[in-house]
Every structure is written in C-alpha cells, then in structure tokens.
C-alpha cells in the first residue's frame, strides 16, 4: 500500500509539471511560441530526453559516482537539444549564442527539475532503508538480550521441581503447573514488544514462589507489591532480571527485599540484597544488569530511571513510565 501511494505521488508530480510547463510556455509566451514555433512537437522530444536521463543516465553515473562526467554529459545534452529546437523545429536562423539565450531554458528546466525529483526520491528511499535496518538491528539486539535472560529463570525452576520431586512429591504437580505458566510466558508471550502488566506480575509471582521454596531456611525473602492498576503495558522480562540477579548473587543466610509499586502510570521496582564485595567487579555479576540497561535504553530511552547502589547492600532501583 505504501509503495502504491508513493508511485501515485510520483506520477502526479510528473503530470502536474508537464501541464504547468506547457501552460507557461504557450500562454505566457503565446504570440512567440504558439504562432511561430512548433513547441508541442518539441515537448515530445523533451519527454524522451528527460526519461532517458531519469531511467538510464542518472542511475548509471550516480552508481559509478561519475558526478563530474555526468554534469558534462548533462550540459552537452542540453546544448544539443537547444540547437535541435532552433534549427530543426523553430528554424529561426539565429546565431548559436542567440539560440541559447532564447531557448536553452526550455531544455534545462525539465531536465533539472526531474533530475532533482529523482535524487530526492532516491534520498528518501535510502533514508527509509537506513531506518528499516536500524529497526531490524534493534529488534535483533532485543531478541538476543532476552534470549540471555530466559535460561536462567527456567533452569532455576527446573532445579526446584527436581528437588521437590525427590523430597516432597505430593507438591510437585502444582510446581509443574507453575512452570508451565512460566514457560508459556517466556517462550510465547514475551516475544511481543509489550505485554499486559498483569501477566508480567503473575510471572514474577510464580518465580517468587519457586524461590521461596528453593531458598527455604537459607534466605529471608520479603516480597511486597502495591499496584493501583493493572491496566498497563510493559516490555516483557525486565523486572525479572533485577530479581534474578539478587537471588543469584546474594550471600548465604542473607535477606532479599523486593518491592514493586505502580502508582499513576509509574512503575518502581526496588530490589535489595546482601552481597560479597569481592564479586561485584566480576563480569558474571554485571552481565545481567548490563543487558537490562541496554534493553531499557533501546525501549524506554528517556522515560525510565535505572540506579545501582552498592555501599552497604546491593540495591537496584528501576523506575518506568508506563504511559
């Protein structure tokens, strides 16, 4: 549809120009052109020259980057066309200089105009191609960053189910159902650019249940939510990166605090945990949050705030505008 609209607009531009060109030539200079010169016959020759230039000469010389040579060829074509009009069509019998001064504009105006139009459309097409490539690059990068998140979440859940299958088999079916929901979320729902906030929070709730079971007696978990409305959209698998990082790198017998609030379209997630200062500089420790920061920059740009504080505890704060 876009291609058809572009083609129609180009055709209209060409038709309007030729109508205006003929009108100006015949009616503003009516006595001179209408009575003494076969101008309309020359227009047919001009049309041939213009479209030979547009379809063959311009594409060839621009592709080869022979700009100076093209200017020379352009000047020669304009000169020869003007001479042809003078001596073959008008038969004015005037000198070359007189011929150029009186008739050169007829050859130059359509050639220059349509050359400019050709370059303008080519420039816009190139810009559209660049924008499309940028968009595809961003989408590929987002998919790559999300693919690095998914395995961490799923493997931890599978380990928990395995442990319960051995120790508490009666509770295993419920965990399998929770894992099924999480798999559905990660493999299918998270492929969309945005999903409902309710689904994302449900995914986190399931994850937190798994973590409470997995770290029972080892870590203290404080998980709090205060959400005024679920009627929002959010990019998938953002919050889980912060939460997963806290569990993965917190020390034994420590406390993990997770607080998620949504108020007036603003979501804030604060995750705090004890940490080993010696591991803060390691690549493994940073990679998850670095990926998150890249995703935030690509998706939310100036409508988010992301802070890391690692003085006494490791505290990550994320604020998103969900509008």
């Amino acid at each position: 549809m876009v291609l058809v609209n572009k083609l129609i607009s180009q055709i209209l531009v060409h038709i309007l120009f030729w109508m205006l060109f003929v009108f100006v030539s015949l009616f503003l200079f009516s006595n001179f052109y209408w009575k003494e010169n076969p101008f309309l016959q020359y227009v047919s020759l001009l049309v041939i020259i213009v479209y030979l230039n547009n379809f063959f000469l311009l594409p060839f010389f621009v592709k080869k980057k022979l700009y100076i040579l093209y200017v020379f060829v352009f000047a020669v074509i304009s000169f020869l066309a003007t001479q042809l009009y003078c001596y073959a069509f008008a038969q004015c019998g005037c000198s070359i200089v007189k011929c150029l001064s009186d008739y050169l504009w007829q050859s130059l105006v359509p050639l220059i105009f349509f050359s400019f139009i050709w370059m303008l459309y080519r420039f816009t097409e190139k810009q559209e191609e660049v924008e499309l490539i940028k968009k595809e690059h961003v989408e590929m990068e987002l998919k790559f960053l999300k693919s690095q998140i998914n395995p961490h979440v799923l493997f931890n859940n599978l380990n928990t189910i395995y442990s319960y299958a051995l120790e508490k088999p009666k509770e295993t079916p419920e965990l399998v159902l929770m894992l099924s929901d999480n798999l559905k979320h990660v493999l299918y729902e998270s492929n969309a650019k945005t999903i409902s906030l309710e689904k994302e929070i449900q995914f986190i709730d399931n994850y937190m249940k798994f973590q409470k079971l997995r770290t029972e007696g080892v870590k203290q978990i404080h998980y709090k939510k205060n959400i005024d409305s679920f009627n929002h959209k959010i990019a998938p698998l953002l919050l889980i990166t912060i939460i997963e990082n806290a569990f993965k790198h917190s020390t034994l017998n420590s406390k993990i605090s997770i607080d998620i609030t949504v108020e007036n379209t603003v979501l804030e997630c604060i995750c705090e945990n004890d940490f080993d200062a010696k591991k803060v500089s390691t690549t493994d420790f940073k990679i998850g949050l670095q990926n998150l920061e890249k995703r935030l920059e690509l998706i939310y740009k100036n409508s988010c705030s992301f802070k890391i504080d690692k003085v006494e505890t490791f505290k990550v704060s994320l604020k998103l505008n969900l509008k």
Side-chain angles (χ1 to χ4, degrees):
M1 188 63 182
V2 175
L3 188 62
V4 172
N5 290 337
K6 189 184 293 184
L7 182 62
I8 291 172
S9 69
Q10 291 184 39
I11 292 171
L12 286 174
V13 168
H14 283 244
I15 292 172
L16 288 172
F17 172 84
W18 286 117
M19 289 173 63
L20 182 63
F21 181 68
V22 171
F23 174 80
V24 170
S25 299
L26 294 181
F27 293 96
L28 294 187
F29 303 96
S30 56
N31 292 331
F32 188 69
Y33 289 108
W34 200 232
K35 294 180 180 179
E36 299 181 16
N37 293 309
F39 174 75
L40 291 177
Q41 293 94 314
Y42 182 60
V43 169
S44 61
L45 180 63
L46 274 180
V47 169
I48 294 171
I49 294 172
V50 163
Y51 292 109
L52 280 173
N53 177 61
N54 269 37
F55 289 113
F56 297 102
L57 296 180
L58 258 176
F60 174 78
F61 284 105
V62 170
K63 184 179 180 180
K64 299 290 185 180
K65 297 183 179 180
L66 302 172
Y67 305 117
I68 296 175
L69 183 58
Y70 173 72
V71 172
F72 175 76
V73 172
F74 185 93
V76 170
I77 290 173
S78 301
F79 174 80
L80 292 176
T82 304
Q83 296 304 308
L84 182 66
Y85 181 56
C86 284
Y87 298 112
F89 287 87
Q91 299 179 354
C92 63
C94 53
S95 65
I96 293 176
V97 176
K98 176 68 174 172
C99 176
L100 292 175
S101 65
D102 288 346
Y103 303 111
L104 181 62
W105 72 272
Q106 289 181 340
S107 303
L108 282 179
V109 169
L111 274 169
I112 292 174
F113 176 80
F114 284 113
S115 295
F116 171 76
I117 290 296
W118 184 90
M119 287 185 284
L120 180 63
Y121 276 107
R122 187 173 182 274
F123 174 76
T124 55
E125 286 171 2
K126 287 289 182 184
Q127 289 297 107
E128 288 172 1
E129 287 177 9
V130 169
E131 290 301 317
L132 183 61
I133 291 169
K134 285 182 180 179
K135 184 180 178 182
E136 289 176 351
H137 176 73
V138 169
E139 289 176 354
M140 287 177 65
E141 189 169 354
L142 285 172
K143 286 180 180 178
F144 171 72
L145 293 173
K146 283 200 290 186
S147 71
Q148 292 182 311
I149 298 169
N150 299 350
H152 295 300
V153 179
L154 299 178
F155 287 148
N156 282 345
N157 291 352
L158 284 170
N159 288 333
T160 303
I161 291 175
Y162 174 75
S163 300
Y164 263 69
L166 295 175
E167 299 173 8
K168 302 177 182 179
K170 291 183 179 179
E171 297 179 24
T172 304
E174 184 182 351
L175 296 180
V176 172
L177 285 174
M178 287 168 56
L179 177 61
S180 176
D181 288 339
N182 282 9
L183 277 170
K184 180 183 175 184
H185 183 81
V186 170
L187 297 177
Y188 299 107
E189 294 170 350
S190 67
N191 290 327
K193 290 182 179 179
T194 58
I195 60 170
S196 70
L197 179 63
E198 186 175 9
K199 287 184 179 179
E200 187 72 4
I201 295 297
Q202 184 182 350
F203 171 71
I204 292 170
D205 288 343
N206 285 347
Y207 176 81
M208 292 303 299
K209 289 176 185 177
F210 273 107
Q211 290 301 327
K212 285 179 180 179
L213 293 173
R214 191 171 71 89
T215 61
E216 189 176 3
V218 179
K219 297 180 182 181
Q220 299 177 43
I221 300 174
H222 298 280
Y223 175 48
K224 187 173 69 173
K225 296 181 298 180
N226 184 16
I227 300 171
D228 62 359
S229 172
F230 284 102
N231 190 27
H232 301 294
K233 295 283 187 179
I234 186 172
L237 305 177
L238 289 178
L239 306 182
I240 195 64
T241 305
I242 301 172
I243 298 168
E244 173 73 3
N245 189 78
F247 281 101
K248 188 176 180 181
H249 299 290
S250 59
T251 56
L252 293 174
N253 301 313
S254 61
K255 183 173 72 173
I256 298 173
S257 176
I258 298 162
D259 187 4
I260 300 174
T261 60
V262 177
E263 187 175 356
N264 296 326
T265 73
V266 176
L267 180 147
E268 187 171 12
C269 177
I270 300 173
C271 193
E272 189 173 2
N273 62 277
D274 298 323
F275 71 104
D276 186 349
K278 294 178 182 178
K279 295 182 179 180
V280 172
S281 60
T282 65
T283 304
D284 183 54
F285 192 82
K286 290 182 175 181
I287 191 166
L289 296 180
Q290 285 177 341
N291 286 345
L292 174 62
E293 198 165 10
K294 286 180 182 177
R295 287 190 68 206
L296 290 170
E297 191 176 323
L298 290 168
I299 302 170
Y300 287 96
K301 295 182 180 178
N302 299 322
S303 59
C304 71
S305 172
F306 183 64
K307 296 178 182 177
I308 299 175
D309 180 15
K310 47 188 178 183
V311 181
E312 296 180 359
T313 60
F314 196 91
K315 184 179 179 180
V316 181
S317 302
L318 171 63
K319 189 178 285 188
L320 293 176
N321 192 334
L322 300 177
K323 281 185 179 179

